[in-house]
CSV table of all heavy atoms in Angstrom, one decimal:
chain,number,residue,atom,x,y,z
A,419,GLN,N,-1.9,-7.9,-1.4
A,419,GLN,CA,-2.5,-7.3,-0.1
A,419,GLN,C,-4.0,-7.1,-0.3
A,419,GLN,O,-4.7,-6.9,0.7
A,419,GLN,CB,-1.9,-5.9,0.0
A,419,GLN,CG,-0.4,-5.9,0.5
A,419,GLN,CD,-0.3,-6.4,1.9
A,419,GLN,OE1,-0.8,-6.0,2.8
A,419,GLN,NE2,0.6,-7.4,2.0
A,420,ARG,N,-4.6,-7.2,-1.6
A,420,ARG,CA,-5.9,-6.7,-1.7
A,420,ARG,C,-6.9,-7.8,-1.0
A,420,ARG,O,-8.1,-7.4,-0.7
A,420,ARG,CB,-6.3,-6.7,-3.1
A,420,ARG,CG,-6.2,-8.0,-3.9
A,420,ARG,CD,-6.5,-7.7,-5.4
A,420,ARG,NE,-6.4,-8.9,-6.2
A,420,ARG,CZ,-7.4,-9.4,-7.0
A,420,ARG,NH1,-8.5,-8.7,-7.0
A,420,ARG,NH2,-7.2,-10.4,-7.8
A,421,TRP,N,-6.5,-9.0,-0.7
A,421,TRP,CA,-7.3,-9.9,0.0
A,421,TRP,C,-7.4,-9.7,1.4
A,421,TRP,O,-8.4,-10.1,2.1
A,421,TRP,CB,-6.9,-11.3,-0.4
A,421,TRP,CG,-6.8,-11.6,-1.9
A,421,TRP,CD1,-5.7,-11.8,-2.5
A,421,TRP,CD2,-7.9,-11.7,-2.8
A,421,TRP,NE1,-6.0,-12.1,-3.9
A,421,TRP,CE2,-7.3,-12.0,-4.0
A,421,TRP,CE3,-9.2,-11.6,-2.7
A,421,TRP,CZ2,-8.1,-12.1,-5.2
A,421,TRP,CZ3,-10.0,-11.8,-3.8
A,421,TRP,CH2,-9.4,-12.0,-5.0
A,422,THR,N,-6.3,-9.2,2.0
A,422,THR,CA,-6.2,-9.1,3.5
A,422,THR,C,-6.1,-7.7,4.0
A,422,THR,O,-6.3,-7.5,5.2
A,422,THR,CB,-5.0,-10.0,3.9
A,422,THR,OG1,-3.8,-9.4,3.3
A,422,THR,CG2,-5.1,-11.4,3.6
A,423,ASN,N,-5.8,-6.7,3.1
A,423,ASN,CA,-5.6,-5.4,3.7
A,423,ASN,C,-6.7,-4.4,3.1
A,423,ASN,O,-6.8,-4.3,1.9
A,423,ASN,CB,-4.2,-4.9,3.1
A,423,ASN,CG,-3.7,-3.6,3.8
A,423,ASN,OD1,-4.5,-2.8,4.2
A,423,ASN,ND2,-2.4,-3.4,3.8
A,424,THR,N,-7.6,-4.0,4.0
A,424,THR,CA,-8.7,-3.1,3.6
A,424,THR,C,-8.3,-1.8,2.9
A,424,THR,O,-9.0,-1.2,2.3
A,424,THR,CB,-9.6,-2.9,4.7
A,424,THR,OG1,-8.9,-2.3,5.8
A,424,THR,CG2,-10.2,-4.2,5.2
A,425,LYS,N,-7.0,-1.4,3.2
A,425,LYS,CA,-6.6,-0.1,2.6
A,425,LYS,C,-6.1,-0.2,1.2
A,425,LYS,O,-5.8,0.8,0.6
A,425,LYS,CB,-5.4,0.4,3.5
A,425,LYS,CG,-6.0,0.7,5.0
A,425,LYS,CD,-4.8,1.3,5.9
A,425,LYS,CE,-5.4,1.7,7.2
A,425,LYS,NZ,-4.3,2.2,8.1
A,426,ILE,N,-6.0,-1.4,0.6
A,426,ILE,CA,-5.4,-1.6,-0.6
A,426,ILE,C,-6.7,-2.1,-1.4
A,426,ILE,O,-6.9,-3.3,-1.5
A,426,ILE,CB,-4.3,-2.6,-0.8
A,426,ILE,CG1,-3.1,-2.1,0.1
A,426,ILE,CG2,-3.8,-2.8,-2.2
A,426,ILE,CD1,-2.4,-0.9,-0.4
A,427,GLY,N,-7.3,-1.2,-2.1
A,427,GLY,CA,-8.6,-1.6,-2.8
A,427,GLY,C,-8.5,-1.7,-4.2
A,427,GLY,O,-9.2,-2.3,-5.0
A,428,ASN,N,-7.4,-1.0,-4.8
A,428,ASN,CA,-7.2,-0.9,-6.3
A,428,ASN,C,-5.7,-0.5,-6.5
A,428,ASN,O,-5.0,-0.4,-5.7
A,428,ASN,CB,-8.2,0.1,-6.9
A,428,ASN,CG,-8.1,1.5,-6.3
A,428,ASN,OD1,-7.1,2.1,-6.2
A,428,ASN,ND2,-9.2,1.9,-5.8
A,429,TYR,N,-5.4,-0.4,-7.8
A,429,TYR,CA,-4.0,-0.2,-8.2
A,429,TYR,C,-3.6,1.3,-7.7
A,429,TYR,O,-2.4,1.5,-7.4
A,429,TYR,CB,-3.8,-0.3,-9.7
A,429,TYR,CG,-3.2,-1.6,-10.2
A,429,TYR,CD1,-4.1,-2.7,-10.2
A,429,TYR,CD2,-2.0,-1.7,-10.4
A,429,TYR,CE1,-3.6,-3.9,-10.6
A,429,TYR,CE2,-1.5,-2.9,-10.8
A,429,TYR,CZ,-2.2,-4.0,-10.9
A,429,TYR,OH,-1.7,-5.3,-11.3
A,430,ILE,N,-4.5,2.2,-7.7
A,430,ILE,CA,-4.1,3.5,-7.3
A,430,ILE,C,-3.6,3.5,-5.8
A,430,ILE,O,-2.6,4.2,-5.4
A,430,ILE,CB,-5.2,4.6,-7.4
A,430,ILE,CG1,-5.7,4.6,-8.9
A,430,ILE,CG2,-4.9,5.9,-6.9
A,430,ILE,CD1,-4.5,5.0,-9.9
A,431,ASP,N,-4.3,2.7,-4.9
A,431,ASP,CA,-3.9,2.6,-3.5
A,431,ASP,C,-2.5,1.9,-3.5
A,431,ASP,O,-1.7,2.4,-2.7
A,431,ASP,CB,-4.9,1.8,-2.8
A,431,ASP,CG,-6.3,2.4,-2.6
A,431,ASP,OD1,-6.4,3.7,-2.7
A,431,ASP,OD2,-7.3,1.7,-2.4
A,432,ALA,N,-2.4,0.9,-4.3
A,432,ALA,CA,-1.1,0.2,-4.3
A,432,ALA,C,0.1,1.1,-4.8
A,432,ALA,O,1.1,1.1,-4.3
A,432,ALA,CB,-1.1,-1.0,-5.1
A,433,LEU,N,-0.3,1.9,-5.9
A,433,LEU,CA,0.7,2.9,-6.4
A,433,LEU,C,1.0,4.0,-5.4
A,433,LEU,O,2.2,4.4,-5.3
A,433,LEU,CB,0.2,3.5,-7.7
A,433,LEU,CG,1.0,4.5,-8.3
A,433,LEU,CD1,2.3,4.0,-8.8
A,433,LEU,CD2,0.3,5.2,-9.5
A,434,TYR,N,0.1,4.5,-4.7
A,434,TYR,CA,0.3,5.4,-3.7
A,434,TYR,C,1.2,5.0,-2.6
A,434,TYR,O,2.3,5.7,-2.2
A,434,TYR,CB,-1.1,5.8,-3.0
A,434,TYR,CG,-1.0,6.8,-1.8
A,434,TYR,CD1,-0.7,8.1,-1.9
A,434,TYR,CD2,-1.2,6.2,-0.6
A,434,TYR,CE1,-0.6,8.9,-0.9
A,434,TYR,CE2,-1.2,7.0,0.6
A,434,TYR,CZ,-0.9,8.3,0.5
A,434,TYR,OH,-0.7,9.1,1.5
A,435,PHE,N,1.0,3.7,-2.2
A,435,PHE,CA,1.9,3.2,-1.1
A,435,PHE,C,3.3,3.0,-1.6
A,435,PHE,O,4.3,3.3,-1.0
A,435,PHE,CB,1.4,1.8,-0.6
A,435,PHE,CG,2.4,1.1,0.2
A,435,PHE,CD1,2.6,1.5,1.6
A,435,PHE,CD2,3.2,0.2,-0.4
A,435,PHE,CE1,3.6,0.9,2.4
A,435,PHE,CE2,4.2,-0.5,0.4
A,435,PHE,CZ,4.4,-0.1,1.8
A,436,THR,N,3.4,2.5,-3.0
A,436,THR,CA,4.7,2.2,-3.5
A,436,THR,C,5.5,3.5,-3.6
A,436,THR,O,6.7,3.5,-3.3
A,436,THR,CB,4.5,1.6,-4.9
A,436,THR,OG1,3.8,0.4,-4.9
A,436,THR,CG2,5.9,1.3,-5.5
A,437,ILE,N,5.0,4.6,-4.1
A,437,ILE,CA,5.6,5.9,-4.2
A,437,ILE,C,6.0,6.4,-2.8
A,437,ILE,O,7.1,6.9,-2.6
A,437,ILE,CB,4.7,6.9,-4.9
A,437,ILE,CG1,4.4,6.4,-6.4
A,437,ILE,CG2,5.4,8.3,-4.9
A,437,ILE,CD1,5.7,6.3,-7.3
A,438,ALA,N,5.1,6.2,-1.9
A,438,ALA,CA,5.4,6.8,-0.4
A,438,ALA,C,6.5,5.9,0.1
A,438,ALA,O,7.5,6.5,0.8
A,438,ALA,CB,4.2,6.6,0.3
A,439,ALA,N,6.6,4.6,-0.1
A,439,ALA,CA,7.7,3.8,0.4
A,439,ALA,C,9.0,4.1,-0.4
A,439,ALA,O,10.0,4.2,0.2
A,439,ALA,CB,7.4,2.4,0.3
A,440,LEU,N,8.9,4.3,-1.6
A,440,LEU,CA,10.1,4.6,-2.5
A,440,LEU,C,10.7,5.8,-2.1
A,440,LEU,O,11.9,5.9,-2.0
A,440,LEU,CB,9.7,4.6,-3.9
A,440,LEU,CG,10.8,4.7,-5.0
A,440,LEU,CD1,10.4,4.0,-6.3
A,440,LEU,CD2,11.1,6.2,-5.4
A,441,THR,N,9.9,6.9,-1.8
A,441,THR,CA,10.5,8.3,-1.5
A,441,THR,C,10.9,8.3,0.0
A,441,THR,O,11.2,9.4,0.5
A,441,THR,CB,9.6,9.3,-1.8
A,441,THR,OG1,8.3,9.1,-1.2
A,441,THR,CG2,9.4,9.4,-3.4
A,442,THR,N,10.6,7.2,0.8
A,442,THR,CA,10.7,7.1,2.2
A,442,THR,C,9.9,8.2,3.0
A,442,THR,O,10.3,8.6,4.0
A,442,THR,CB,12.2,7.3,2.6
A,442,THR,OG1,12.7,8.5,2.3
A,442,THR,CG2,13.1,6.2,1.9
A,443,THR,N,8.8,8.7,2.3
A,443,THR,CA,8.0,9.7,2.9
A,443,THR,C,7.2,9.0,4.1
A,443,THR,O,7.1,9.6,5.2
A,443,THR,CB,7.0,10.1,1.8
A,443,THR,OG1,7.6,10.7,0.8
A,443,THR,CG2,6.1,11.3,2.6
A,444,GLY,N,6.7,7.9,3.9
A,444,GLY,CA,6.0,7.1,5.0
A,444,GLY,C,4.9,7.8,5.8
A,444,GLY,O,5.0,8.2,6.8
A,445,PHE,N,3.9,8.2,5.0
A,445,PHE,CA,2.8,8.9,5.6
A,445,PHE,C,2.1,8.1,6.7
A,445,PHE,O,1.5,8.6,7.6
A,445,PHE,CB,1.7,9.3,4.4
A,445,PHE,CG,2.2,10.3,3.5
A,445,PHE,CD1,2.4,9.9,2.2
A,445,PHE,CD2,2.5,11.5,3.9
A,445,PHE,CE1,2.9,10.9,1.3
A,445,PHE,CE2,2.9,12.5,3.1
A,445,PHE,CZ,3.1,12.1,1.7
A,446,GLY,N,2.1,6.8,6.6
A,446,GLY,CA,1.5,5.9,7.6
A,446,GLY,C,0.0,5.6,7.4
A,446,GLY,O,-0.6,4.8,8.2
A,447,ASP,N,-0.7,6.3,6.5
A,447,ASP,CA,-2.0,5.9,6.3
A,447,ASP,C,-2.3,4.7,5.6
A,447,ASP,O,-3.4,4.0,5.8
A,447,ASP,CB,-2.8,7.1,5.6
A,447,ASP,CG,-2.0,7.4,4.2
A,447,ASP,OD1,-0.9,7.1,4.1
A,447,ASP,OD2,-2.7,8.1,3.5
A,448,ILE,N,-1.3,4.2,4.8
A,448,ILE,CA,-1.4,2.9,4.2
A,448,ILE,C,-0.2,2.1,4.5
A,448,ILE,O,1.0,2.6,4.3
A,448,ILE,CB,-1.6,2.9,2.7
A,448,ILE,CG1,-3.0,3.6,2.3
A,448,ILE,CG2,-1.6,1.5,2.2
A,448,ILE,CD1,-3.2,3.7,0.8
A,449,THR,N,-0.3,0.9,5.2
A,449,THR,CA,0.8,0.1,5.6
A,449,THR,C,0.6,-1.3,5.1
A,449,THR,O,-0.6,-1.7,5.0
A,449,THR,CB,1.2,0.1,7.0
A,449,THR,OG1,0.0,-0.3,7.7
A,449,THR,CG2,1.5,1.5,7.5
A,450,LEU,N,1.6,-2.1,4.8
A,450,LEU,CA,1.4,-3.5,4.4
A,450,LEU,C,1.5,-4.4,5.6
A,450,LEU,O,2.3,-4.1,6.6
A,450,LEU,CB,2.6,-3.9,3.3
A,450,LEU,CG,2.6,-3.1,2.1
A,450,LEU,CD1,3.5,-3.7,1.0
A,450,LEU,CD2,1.3,-2.8,1.5
A,451,THR,N,0.8,-5.4,5.6
A,451,THR,CA,0.6,-6.2,6.8
A,451,THR,C,1.4,-7.6,6.5
A,451,THR,O,1.5,-8.0,5.3
A,451,THR,CB,-0.9,-6.7,7.1
A,451,THR,OG1,-1.5,-7.2,5.9
A,451,THR,CG2,-1.6,-5.2,7.4
A,452,GLY,N,1.7,-8.2,7.6
A,452,GLY,CA,2.3,-9.6,7.5
A,452,GLY,C,3.8,-9.5,7.0
A,452,GLY,O,4.4,-8.4,6.7
A,453,THR,N,4.4,-10.7,7.2
A,453,THR,CA,5.9,-10.9,6.9
A,453,THR,C,6.1,-10.4,5.5
A,453,THR,O,7.1,-9.7,5.2
A,453,THR,CB,6.4,-12.2,7.2
A,453,THR,OG1,6.2,-12.5,8.6
A,453,THR,CG2,7.8,-12.2,6.9
A,454,LEU,N,5.3,-11.1,4.4
A,454,LEU,CA,5.5,-10.7,3.2
A,454,LEU,C,5.4,-9.2,2.8
A,454,LEU,O,6.0,-8.6,2.0
A,454,LEU,CB,4.5,-11.5,2.3
A,454,LEU,CG,4.6,-11.3,0.8
A,454,LEU,CD1,6.0,-11.6,0.2
A,454,LEU,CD2,3.5,-12.0,0.0
A,455,GLY,N,4.4,-8.5,3.4
A,455,GLY,CA,4.1,-7.2,3.2
A,455,GLY,C,5.3,-6.3,3.7
A,455,GLY,O,5.8,-5.3,3.1
């Protein structure tokens, strides 16, 4: 995602999204784009 998603700038951003998705919290401030995302 780091090449196409401006919200994923480093590992902390990616970790934040992973935890939010894993817990199904879904804050919505970071989302993955595209079919692969």
Side-chain angles (χ1 to χ4, degrees):
Q419 295 290 308
R420 65 185 179 124
W421 306 109
T422 58
N423 193 333
T424 57
K425 295 182 179 179
I426 304 293
N428 52 56
Y429 261 81
I430 300 302
D431 295 335
L433 176 63
Y434 171 75
F435 170 81
T436 302
I437 297 297
L440 184 150
T441 58
T442 67
T443 304
F445 292 114
D447 52 344
I448 298 180
T449 56
L450 302 192
T451 59
T453 302
L454 178 60

